[in-house]
Amino acid sequence: MAVRIGTAGWSIPRAVADRVPGEGTHLQRYAQRLNLAEINSSFHHPHRTSLYARWAAAVPDDFRFAVKLPKTITHKARLVDCDHLLVAFASEVTGLGDKRGPLLVQLPPSFVFPGEVAERFFDSLDRLLGGQVVIEPRNASWFTPEVDALLAARRIARVLADPPVPEAASAPGGWLGLTYIRLHGAPRVYWSSYADAQLAAIATRIAASEGDVWMIFDNTASGAALGNALDLDERLSA
């Protein structure tokens, strides 16, 4: 079982700067301590292929980037007739080369499981981008045995989220060869830091996982994410 720990983005808050020493950009320093980062900015706007390539060149060979699909695909097109959007996105992320990790498909809470629409989309995603896919649905209709089996058959992991929306998101689903965990901060989403007892529980969860674990701290608004990620990494190393 391989474990990767990182944050959404790679900013280094002043409060933990002494724990990420060295020279260079924030990304270069960050990548000396952690082996994963999630690119969330791709959700909001496109990036040049050359920028992705520059990020890839700044990190060690064993570092990986997870990349969030654009909202034009997940929230505006809602997975319908978006091959042209996937082609454009595929061209951009080629800059990451073999440092591209899973693609993150995050869906809005109002998005009811669309049946064949989802299946056609997953076909397009595999054909046009390939690689691992993780999905973070936030509507209860996605949390059924039938949908779980569909995801597992396509080797798509369903995200374990905290706080879970809906409650069923407190456990991973779909393909269990990869457990992808997104910790958004609780009780205050994006802000709250995780206490030692919570990190200990997370470490226990990792130990119980069946396959590889990729963990992202998304409580970045307060700057807590990097400190939490470093604490968990040190706990697991110990």
Side-chain angles (χ1 to χ4, degrees):
M1 182 181 72
V3 178
R4 292 184 178 273
I5 299 171
T7 65
W10 44 80
S11 294
I12 301 176
R14 185 172 301 175
V16 294
D18 61 331
R19 300 178 64 185
V20 192
E23 299 180 351
T25 66
H26 278 212
L27 176 56
Q28 289 171 320
R29 292 166 58 195
Y30 171 102
Q32 296 304 313
R33 291 297 314 274
L34 299 172
N35 58 7
L36 167 65
E38 186 181 87
I39 300 173
N40 275 195
S41 54
S42 54
F43 176 76
H44 300 286
H45 53 80
H47 297 305
R48 293 178 183 272
T49 307
S50 59
L51 179 57
Y52 282 111
R54 190 157 70 246
W55 288 338
V59 299
D61 290 343
D62 65 345
F63 192 94
R64 294 294 181 270
F65 295 92
V67 193
K68 192 172 183 179
L69 255 64
K71 63 182 178 183
T72 52
I73 295 171
T74 56
H75 288 55
K76 295 182 178 179
R78 297 175 79 87
L79 312 187
V80 176
D81 296 332
C82 51
D83 278 17
H84 63 294
L85 298 172
L86 289 172
V87 167
F89 184 63
S91 176
E92 295 163 11
V93 298
T94 56
L96 292 176
D98 59 8
K99 292 174 184 172
R100 197 198 91 187
L103 299 172
L104 169 63
V105 183
Q106 187 189 58
L107 302 174
S110 62
F111 197 147
V112 174
F113 177 67
E116 292 183 359
V117 167
E119 295 193 58
R120 287 194 295 270
F121 172 76
F122 294 144
D123 286 341
S124 293
L125 194 59
D126 182 57
R127 173 169 48 86
L128 297 173
L129 282 116
Q132 290 183 314
V133 176
V134 299
I135 189 165
E136 186 177 13
R138 291 176 288 175
N139 185 281
S141 62
W142 287 79
F143 295 80
T144 68
E146 293 77 16
V147 176
D148 213 46
L150 182 150
L151 295 175
R154 293 172 176 270
R155 296 172 68 87
I156 297 173
R158 194 187 70 231
V159 168
L160 186 166
D162 182 69
V165 180
E167 186 60 34
S170 61
W175 183 57
L176 297 179
L178 170 64
T179 297
Y180 196 98
I181 303 173
R182 302 191 79 222
L183 302 172
H184 300 295
R188 189 181 180 191
V189 177
Y190 305 126
W191 288 84
S192 294
S193 180
Y194 288 91
D196 287 344
Q198 292 171 301
L199 294 176
I202 293 166
T204 300
R205 163 71 75 172
I206 290 174
S209 298
E210 297 181 20
D212 294 345
V213 178
W214 295 50
M215 173 164 297
I216 292 294
F217 286 90
D218 191 28
N219 50 339
T220 55
S222 64
L226 183 54
N228 283 165
L230 294 171
D231 287 344
L232 181 61
D233 183 63
E234 291 168 2
R235 178 182 289 274
L236 292 174
S237 298

